[in-house]
Amino acid sequence: MGDDDIDARLDALRGTGRYVSLETGGAFGPRRLGGVIEDVGDALVLVQELKEFHRSGFVLLRRSEIAAVIESEVERLFARMIAAEGLTEELRAPLPLDLDAWSDCLRDLRRLYGAVLLECVAGGGLILYVGRIVRVSRDAVWLRCVTVEGALEREALEVPLDEITRVIFDDRYSVFFDRHASDEGLH
């Protein structure tokens, strides 16, 4: 599927509520994400992920990393199953996000949502950070990460925007940690 075909499919699926799978490329080979295309910007795509027969939150991907939009019989079967089970009622309308650049989108996330999960490629590996966005520049985001003890680190971690592969938010994991994380040393 060529880039023009992918762009046309993404635009056509925006806001339709149709279940599809997206295949992304990248340093770790092809990966699949199943869900509903909520919105598409110049740089980013917002997907409401459906995984293991439930809503898993929102995922932001780079539009340029999407290698294929898949609507096979498997996706059609999954769509029928989730509709028959009433799982489409779990879907939530996203708050409006600027999807034209990571920096603008992350500023919106900081203002509208709590903790996020940043999936990054750095040092030859895949790294996942969970925390609250405290600052965003044109080239980086600063995140107060949640420690394994459930505390927010005092110092914000700087993450270059070009290392981010996905941002996950309004999912069970980030909402849970956002609700229960406390300032470091207070518990």
Side-chain angles (χ1 to χ4, degrees), residues 19-181:
Y19 179 85
V20 297
S21 291
L22 300 177
E23 186 173 287
T24 58
F28 299 98
R31 296 171 60 195
R32 277 207 182 180
L33 169 71
V36 174
I37 310 283
E38 293 291 352
D39 202 1
V40 179
D42 290 343
L44 303 170
V45 175
L46 176 63
V47 179
Q48 190 156 187
E49 184 178 22
L50 294 163
K51 181 169 61 176
E52 298 175 3
F53 302 104
H54 70 276
R55 177 189 178 275
S56 296
F58 294 106
V59 179
L60 287 161
L61 308 165
R62 290 180 196 275
R63 190 172 180 154
S64 62
E65 291 182 3
I66 297 173
V69 178
I70 303 160
E71 296 181 272
S72 72
E73 186 54 40
V74 172
E75 281 73 27
R76 288 187 289 278
L77 172 63
F78 190 78
R80 287 191 305 270
M81 290 168 42
I82 62 174
E85 292 295 320
L87 298 174
T88 51
E89 283 83 46
E90 291 182 22
L91 299 179
R92 298 182 188 152
L95 297 173
L97 301 172
D98 185 333
L99 301 177
D100 293 335
W102 272 130
S103 57
D104 297 331
C105 187
L106 291 167
R107 280 187 195 94
D108 286 348
L109 285 175
R110 178 181 183 213
R111 184 174 46 83
L112 298 170
Y113 290 93
V116 299
L117 286 101
L118 295 183
E119 182 182 283
C120 303
V121 175
L126 190 62
I127 301 170
L128 186 66
Y129 301 107
V130 60
R132 296 180 185 153
I133 298 169
V134 295
R135 186 172 145 222
V136 181
S137 74
R138 195 182 76 218
D139 301 314
V141 60
W142 284 260
L143 195 70
R144 281 189 70 200
C145 294
V146 179
T147 67
V148 293
E149 295 87 17
L152 286 166
E153 293 181 344
R154 290 186 198 283
E155 298 297 319
L157 173 72
E158 180 182 356
V159 179
L161 298 183
D162 63 358
E163 292 180 0
I164 299 173
T165 58
R166 294 180 185 203
V167 176
I168 302 162
F169 62 98
D170 197 35
D171 65 303
R172 187 177 178 124
Y173 192 80
S174 64
V175 168
F176 182 81
F177 274 101
D178 189 53
R179 188 178 307 131
H180 296 284

